[in-house]
Amino acid sequence: MAHLIKLELKKFGIARNVIFMIAAILFSILFITISLWDSTTDPEQTKDTFESTYLVIGLLMSFIFLVYSSVLTARLVIREYNQRTITIMFSYPLNRAKLIASKLTIIIIYTAISMAIGYVCCSGYIVFVDRFFDMLEGTFQPSMLQTWIPMAITTVIVCTVLSLWPFIIGMIRKSVPTTIVTSLIVIVFRQVIISKNATYQESILQILLVAIVTLVAALFIFKKKVPDLY
C-alpha cells in the first residue's frame, strides 16, 4: 500500500497542509495570549492556572484538527465520489479498499502529528510567557509534565480514532456537509463525556470502547459501501 500512499500524498498537498498546521498553532497561541492577558489585566478576574490553560490547549487542538481532518476526508474521499473523479482511479487495477485506506492513513497521521506539534508549541509557550511575564497563577514545575504528557497522548489517540467518524457517516450519507458536521457532533459528544470525569480525560475503558466501536463501524463501511461505489 506504500505506493498508493505516495500517490495520494500528491493530492494531499504536504506544503499546503503544513502551512495550515502552522497557522492553526499560531491562532491557538494568539487565543491563549488574549485569554491570559484578559485574566491578568482585569481586576475582577483571577489569573488562569497552568491546569486550566492546558485544558484550553487540549480543547483547541481537538476542535481545530478534528474539524480539519473532516475537511480533508470530505475533499479526498467523499467529494471524489460525488464528482465521480475517483472512478478514474478505479479503472486501473487497484484495490479499492487499499486506495481508500491509504487516504485515511494520510489523514490520520497528519492529524496525530499536527496535534502533537500543537501541544508541544502551545505548552512551551505558556511556560515561556509565565516565566518572563508572570501571566499564570503559580509557577511551572517539571512534575507537571507527568500529567501533561499522558493527557496529550490520550487526546491525540482519541482524536485520531474519532477522525474516522466523519468518513464513516460521510460514506453512508454521500454528503460533504454531513462529513464536516459529524466532526462537530463528535467534538461536542466527547466534551460531554470527559466533562463528567474528574481528570477531564477519557478512562482506559472508554478509550477501548470508542476504538472498538469505531473499528467495527469502519470495517462495515469498507465491506458494504466501498465495493458498491462507482
Side-chain angles (χ1 to χ4, degrees), residues 175-188:
S175 168
V176 168
T178 299
T179 303
I180 298 173
V181 170
T182 298
S183 67
L184 299 175
I185 295 174
V186 166
I187 291 169
V188 172

Side-chain angles (χ1 to χ4, degrees), residues 11-39:
K11 296 181 182 179
F12 180 73
I14 296 177
R16 177 176 62 248
N17 286 289
V18 168
I19 291 173
F20 174 84
M21 177 187 69
I22 295 172
I25 293 173
L26 291 176
F27 169 80
S28 299
I29 289 175
L30 176 62
F31 183 92
I32 293 168
T33 302
I34 294 174
S35 176
L36 293 179
W37 179 261
D38 183 60
S39 66

Side-chain angles (χ1 to χ4, degrees), residues 9 45 57 74 142 182:
L9 278 173
Q45 296 188 44
I57 292 174
T182 298

Side-chain angles (χ1 to χ4, degrees), residues 40-60:
T40 302
T41 57
D42 190 343
E44 296 183 359
Q45 296 188 44
T46 57
K47 288 183 178 179
D48 293 329
T49 64
F50 280 98
E51 290 77 11
S52 64
T53 306
Y54 192 75
L55 290 177
V56 171
I57 292 174
L59 179 60
L60 288 170

